[in-house]
C-alpha cells in the first residue's frame, strides 16, 4: 500500500477520479441464471464492504488525531474537536465509535494478530465483531483471514460460539465431547451458557447435573428455558414489595418449585405480582393527577360553560375515593376500587 504523507500529494489524490465502478447484471435479464446473478452482486457487495471498512478505520484514526491534538493543548477551552465534528455533522457517539474501530484495528495489527493485507478479507461488521471478541477468537479469525478466506460476521460468530462451547466452565465434559464430535449443535449451547451466567452458582450446579445425566438436544432446550425462568424469577422477586414483608428464603422456594416441576408457574406468578405492584403505583399517580386537574377545571368553569361542566362531571368520579368501572366482555360486570392514602 502506497503511503501518502505530503499535503500536495493528498490534494492531488483528491482531484483524481476514483476508479470504482461495477458492471452489475441486468435485473430484467431472465437468461442470467439465478446463482450467477447472486454471485455477481455478492462480489460487488463485498468490494464495497471492504472499501467501507478501510475508510472507516482511517476516519477513526483522523478523528483520534484531532481529538488528541485538542487534549494536548494546555491553554484554551479545547473546543476544536467539538467544532470539527459540528462542521462535518458528526455526532460524538459516531466519532467515538469510529475511534474505537481504529483503536481495535491498531491493536490487532500491533499485537501481530492480523496482517495489514488481511483486513481486505473482512466485511466491516465482521471486523467490528472480531475486535469485540476474546483474544483467542481474534487469533483464530485472523488466521482464517490470512489464509485468504472471506470473513463475514456469521463466520466470526460461529468461531466465537465454538470457543464458548469448548471453554465454558458451565458446561460439563459430557456436553463438550458431544459438541466436539458435532452430536450437539452449537446453536443450542450458546443461549444456554448466556442464561446460566445470569444465575447464582447454586442453581448453575443443579442444571449442570441435569446436563450430565441427559446430554441431548431436548434437555439443553428445556434447561435454557428453565434457566431463563430462574433468572426472571430472581429478578422479579427482588422487585416485589409483598415478599419483603416476610422472611422468605427465595432461593429455597425456587429450588422447591423446580423440584416439583412448578418453576414456570412460580416464575410467572412472581412476574405478574411485580407487574401488578408497578401498575398499582402508576394507577395511584394517574388518580392523583386526575383529582388535581379536576379541581383546577372546576375552579375555572361555571354556568357559562355548561358543556364543559358536564364533561367534568363525567370524569371527576375517576379522581374520587371510590371508582366504579364497567368491564365489557362476554358478560357485563363491574369493578369497584377504593383508594385511600395512608401516611
Amino acid at each position: 500500500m502506497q503511503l501518502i504523507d505530503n499535503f500536495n500529494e493528498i490534494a492531488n489524490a483528491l482531484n483524481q477520479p476514483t476508479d470504482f465502478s461495477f458492471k452489475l447484471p441486468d435485473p430484467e435479464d431472465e437468461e442470467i441464471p439465478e446463482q450467477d446473478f447472486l454471485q455477481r452482486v455478492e462480489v460487488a457487495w463485498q468490494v464495497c464492504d471492504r472499501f467501507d471498512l478501510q475508510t472507516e478505520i482511517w476516519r477513526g484514526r483522523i478523528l483520534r488525531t484531532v481529538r488528541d491534538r485538542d487534549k494536548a493543548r494546555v491553554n484554551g477551552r479545547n473546543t476544536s474537536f467539538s467544532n470539527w465534528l459540528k462542521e462535518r455533522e458528526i455526532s460524538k457517539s459516531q466519532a467515538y465509535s469510529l475511534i474505537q474501530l481504529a483503536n481495535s484495528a491498531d491493536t490487532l495489527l500491533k499485537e501481530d494478530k492480523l496482517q495489514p493485507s488481511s483486513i481486505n478479507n473482512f466485511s466491516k461488521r465482521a471486523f467490528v465483531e472480531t475486535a469485540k471478541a476474546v483474544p483467542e477468537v481474534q487469533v483464530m479469525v485472523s488466521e482464517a483471514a490470512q489464509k485468504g478466506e472471506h470473513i463475514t460476521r456469521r463466520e466470526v460468530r460461529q468461531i466465537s460460539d465454538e470457543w464458548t462451547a469448548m471453554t465454558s466452565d458451565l458446561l460439563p465434559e459430557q456436553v463438550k465431547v458431544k459438541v466436539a464430535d458435532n452430536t450437539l449443535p452449537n446453536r443450542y449451547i450458546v443461549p444456554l451458557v448466556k442464561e446460566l451466567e445470569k444465575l447464582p452458582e447454586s442453581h448453575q450446579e443443579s442444571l449442570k447435573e441435569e446436563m450430565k445425566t441427559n446430554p441431548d438436544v431436548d434437555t439443553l432446550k428445556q434447561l435454557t428455558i428453565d434457566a431463563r425462568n430462574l433468572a426472571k424469577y430472581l429478578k422479579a422477586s427482588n422487585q416485589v414489595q409483598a415478599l419483603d414483608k416476610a422472611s422468605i428464603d427465595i432461593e429455597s422456594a425456587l429450588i422447591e418449585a423446580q423440584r416439583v416441576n412448578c418453576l414456570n408457574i412460580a416464575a410467572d406468578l412472581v412476574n405478574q405480582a411485580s407487574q401488578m405492584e408497578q401498575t398499582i403505583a402508576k394507577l395511584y399517580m394517574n388518580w392523583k393527577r386526575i383529582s388535581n386537574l379536576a379541581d383546577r377545571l372546576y375552579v375555572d368553569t361555571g354556568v357559562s360553560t355548561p358543556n364543559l361542566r358536564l364533561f367534568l362531571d363525567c370524569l371527576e368520579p375517576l379522581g374520587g375515593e371510590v371508582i366504579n368501572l364497567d368491564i365489557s366482555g362476554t358478560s357485563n360486570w363491574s369493578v369497584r376500587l377504593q383508594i385511600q392514602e395512608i401516611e
Side-chain angles (χ1 to χ4, degrees), residues 5-266:
D5 187 50
N6 183 275
F7 175 78
N8 290 328
E9 290 181 5
I10 296 174
N12 291 332
L14 290 172
N15 290 326
Q16 297 297 321
T18 302
D19 185 14
F20 193 67
S21 61
F22 304 104
K23 186 177 180 180
L24 297 175
D26 185 352
E28 297 181 1
D29 189 349
E30 295 293 339
E31 294 184 3
I32 302 177
E34 184 69 12
Q35 187 65 29
D36 184 39
F37 175 85
L38 293 175
Q39 185 176 6
R40 288 164 68 180
V41 294
E42 176 64 21
V43 169
W45 184 268
Q46 289 179 14
V47 173
C48 291
D49 224 359
R50 296 170 187 175
F51 183 83
D52 186 45
L53 173 60
Q54 292 278 13
T55 302
E56 299 289 75
I57 291 173
W58 275 107
R59 280 179 172 166
R61 288 168 175 160
I62 294 167
L63 288 166
R64 185 177 62 199
T65 301
V66 177
R67 183 203 61 185
D68 292 349
R69 166 82 169 182
D70 209 23
K71 283 184 175 182
R73 292 180 175 175
V74 178
N75 300 319
R77 298 175 60 184
N78 299 334
T79 59
S80 62
F81 181 58
S82 297
N83 292 335
W84 207 85
L85 296 180
K86 192 177 297 183
E87 289 172 2
R88 288 156 184 80
E89 297 182 347
I90 302 174
S91 68
K92 283 194 174 182
S93 61
Q94 289 175 313
Y96 280 101
S97 177
L98 290 171
I99 291 173
Q100 184 180 26
L101 177 62
N103 290 340
S104 299
D106 293 344
T107 299
L108 290 174
L109 293 170
K110 184 178 180 181
E111 296 177 356
D112 294 328
K113 293 178 181 175
L114 187 66
Q115 297 300 318
S117 58
S118 300
I119 293 179
N120 286 333
N121 292 329
F122 286 83
S123 69
K124 179 184 174 183
R125 290 184 177 182
F127 191 84
V128 173
E129 197 79 21
T130 303
K132 294 178 180 177
V134 297
E136 293 82 1
V137 172
Q138 291 178 348
V139 170
M140 289 187 285
V141 173
S142 299
E143 288 175 351
Q146 284 159 198
K147 292 177 182 177
E149 297 180 23
H150 177 60
I151 308 298
T152 66
R153 186 167 59 168
R154 180 183 299 175
E155 277 77 29
V156 178
R157 289 185 172 177
Q158 181 178 348
I159 293 174
S160 181
D161 289 349
E162 290 173 356
W163 176 258
T164 298
M166 298 309 298
T167 60
S168 176
D169 294 334
L170 298 174
L171 297 175
E173 195 62 34
Q174 292 88 333
V175 172
K176 291 182 180 181
V177 169
K178 287 183 173 289
V179 172
D181 62 17
N182 294 320
T183 307
L184 285 176
N186 270 318
R187 66 178 182 272
Y188 298 113
I189 298 296
V190 178
L192 175 58
V193 171
K194 288 181 178 179
E195 295 300 334
L196 287 173
E197 288 174 346
K198 301 175 185 177
L199 299 176
E201 187 175 347
S202 58
H203 297 300
Q204 291 175 352
E205 290 301 322
S206 62
L207 296 177
K208 285 168 66 175
E209 287 299 321
E210 183 64 26
M211 276 189 275
K212 289 180 182 179
T213 307
N214 301 298
D216 53 52
V217 170
D218 290 339
T219 300
L220 295 185
K221 290 166 67 175
Q222 184 58 49
L223 291 179
T224 302
I225 296 173
D226 289 346
R228 187 178 298 118
N229 285 331
L230 281 169
K232 287 181 180 178
Y233 183 107
L234 292 170
K235 181 179 179 181
S237 63
N238 293 328
Q239 300 172 347
V240 177
Q241 294 183 25
L243 295 176
D244 293 337
K245 297 178 180 179
S247 55
I248 301 175
D249 187 342
I250 300 295
E251 293 288 323
S252 297
L254 189 57
I255 293 173
E256 290 173 0
Q258 188 176 4
R259 177 168 53 82
V260 296
N261 295 322
C262 293
L263 180 60
N264 294 348
I265 299 175

